[in-house]
Amino acid sequence: MGTGRLVWSEGLPRVLGHDPAALPDADAWAAHVHPDDRAAVATFEAAIVEGATTYEGEYRFRRADGTYAEVADRCT
């Protein structure tokens, strides 16, 4: 079961330009998901909250410079 915490990889600053401290929780993270992808992300987040033990999803995430990166997200 998930912990309810966001855990950033050490590559976050290098790949997306964000300091992990600037994205301390799910709301701060979600604000950077592309608006067209938020519904899909909300769907797999809800599955985790409801007890799913794994998920995979792809979405666009805003880099610190304002451009978007394609992200493959996985929880196992």
Side-chain angles (χ1 to χ4, degrees):
M1 184 173 200
T3 63
R5 301 180 301 126
L6 288 175
V7 178
W8 295 110
S9 75
E10 293 176 10
L12 181 71
R14 180 178 48 80
V15 175
L16 299 175
H18 292 287
D19 175 357
L23 300 171
D25 57 32
D27 290 337
W29 167 82
H32 288 74
V33 173
H34 191 282
D36 292 344
D37 298 338
R38 289 182 184 157
V41 169
T43 298
F44 63 75
E45 285 180 338
I48 294 299
V49 170
E50 292 173 9
T53 57
T54 63
Y55 76 82
E56 290 185 25
E58 294 183 14
Y59 55 91
R60 293 164 285 183
F61 191 85
R62 187 174 57 243
R63 295 180 178 107
D65 68 5
T67 63
Y68 283 90
E70 294 286 332
V71 174
D73 204 354
R74 177 179 47 185
C75 176
T76 57

